[in-house]
Amino acid sequence: DKLPTKKFICLNGTYNKSRQYIIDKLENFKEYGYLSDLNRGIKLDNLSIDKLVGVQRNDEPSVFLLDDFHKDSYFSIVNEASGGWEAFNQDKLFAYCTEKITKPLYYGHPFILIGWKNSLKFLKEMGFKTYDDIFDESYDELETWEERTRAVWKEIERVLTLPDKEFYEKLDKVQEKVIYNQKRFFAYDGYVDDFITKLMKIYEKTSISV
């Protein structure tokens, strides 16, 4: 009944170099969307962290009170934790995803993902669809987080500066993917077991306690 008033939502907690690069660039577009940076105390609509996530911080989307912000925006900019951490992934064993990507899947949002190399490939292997209808996703195969982050920003900037009519048409055309991904997120057909198996391989390979 009510169209969104904002083009994007971009949620950020702890600091990393990739996130900070995107946050700084989005400062020039903040009137277009919802931008948080908890590391610097910048919250959505001045909500306290307790009101946003409950008494204790919990990143599970089911306890976030973010429905209104997602309903009032068209797509998500997801900043994963890749910047500065790629030494843990030198063997290209895995694409690392956290709870951050669950939010657009949970709330039914198109997204662009800034993460490890092959993060989009990893999501596709889990049975999800990505949004090459909106973004050039070739950045997913770039080697370094610096290259990927710069390439992602070019795509974000391009989409945010599209004429409104073209922007809305692009977002409208991906609704079937949005619905598919949301249903996939809530369906259990073994992909969680596959994900756990991948995590165990990571643990065995790196001997990092999880």
Side-chain angles (χ1 to χ4, degrees):
D1 295 331
K2 181 177 177 292
L3 292 175
T5 64
K6 303 291 186 181
K7 290 188 175 181
F8 72 87
I9 181 170
C10 183
L11 304 172
N12 302 276
T14 57
Y15 168 86
N16 72 42
K17 294 177 183 178
S18 177
R19 285 179 197 153
Q20 198 59 57
Y21 180 91
I22 297 296
I23 291 168
D24 290 345
K25 292 290 188 181
L26 282 173
E27 280 295 316
N28 294 325
F29 294 89
K30 57 186 178 182
E31 73 274 12
Y32 287 72
Y34 293 112
L35 177 63
S36 71
D37 182 5
L38 299 184
N39 180 61
R40 295 191 293 178
I42 300 170
K43 304 162 187 173
L44 295 182
D45 284 2
N46 296 317
L47 287 177
S48 72
I49 191 67
D50 287 347
K51 288 183 180 178
L52 190 60
V53 300
V55 177
Q56 295 180 340
R57 176 163 182 173
N58 186 329
D59 286 336
E60 290 298 321
S62 58
V63 300
F64 266 89
L65 305 177
L66 292 174
D67 299 65
D68 291 343
F69 299 109
H70 284 85
K71 288 177 181 177
D72 196 39
S73 54
Y74 280 92
F75 74 95
S76 292
I77 300 168
V78 181
N79 275 320
E80 280 288 8
S82 62
W85 290 93
E86 292 194 336
F88 292 121
N89 200 22
Q90 289 176 346
D91 294 330
K92 305 297 183 290
L93 178 64
F94 69 104
Y96 179 58
C97 292
T98 72
E99 87 292 335
K100 292 173 182 59
I101 191 59
T102 69
K103 295 181 181 69
L105 297 173
Y106 177 92
Y107 287 109
H109 243 209
F111 59 82
I112 186 166
L113 175 62
I114 308 120
W116 303 82
K117 180 183 178 181
N118 293 326
S119 290
L120 296 179
K121 180 181 178 182
F122 175 79
L123 287 174
K124 291 174 184 175
E125 289 174 353
M126 295 292 104
F128 295 102
K129 295 182 180 180
T130 59
Y131 295 93
D132 55 358
D133 326 59
I134 305 172
F135 307 104
D136 177 354
E137 296 183 341
S138 59
Y139 69 85
D140 193 47
E141 299 178 356
L142 297 176
E143 287 294 330
T144 69
W145 70 264
E146 292 97 337
E147 290 175 307
R148 291 193 300 279
T149 302
R150 287 193 292 268
V152 167
W153 171 250
K154 287 181 181 179
E155 284 304 294
I156 294 170
E157 185 178 39
R158 179 185 62 78
V159 170
L160 289 179
T161 54
L162 287 172
D164 284 348
K165 183 175 184 294
E166 187 176 350
F167 175 87
Y168 299 135
E169 286 175 352
K170 280 184 176 292
L171 272 293
D172 187 57
K173 288 179 180 177
V174 299
Q175 290 309 302
E176 287 186 9
K177 280 188 178 180
V178 169
I179 294 168
Y180 170 87
N181 281 339
Q182 192 175 44
K183 288 181 177 178
R184 172 70 175 166
F185 180 78
F186 285 105
Y188 178 79
D189 59 4
Y191 77 87
V192 174
D193 286 340
D194 293 339
F195 181 64
I196 292 171
T197 300
K198 288 178 182 289
L199 289 179
M200 291 304 296
K201 288 181 180 178
I202 295 164
Y203 176 77
E204 292 166 3
K205 182 74 174 178
T206 62
S207 296
I208 297 174
S209 177
V210 290

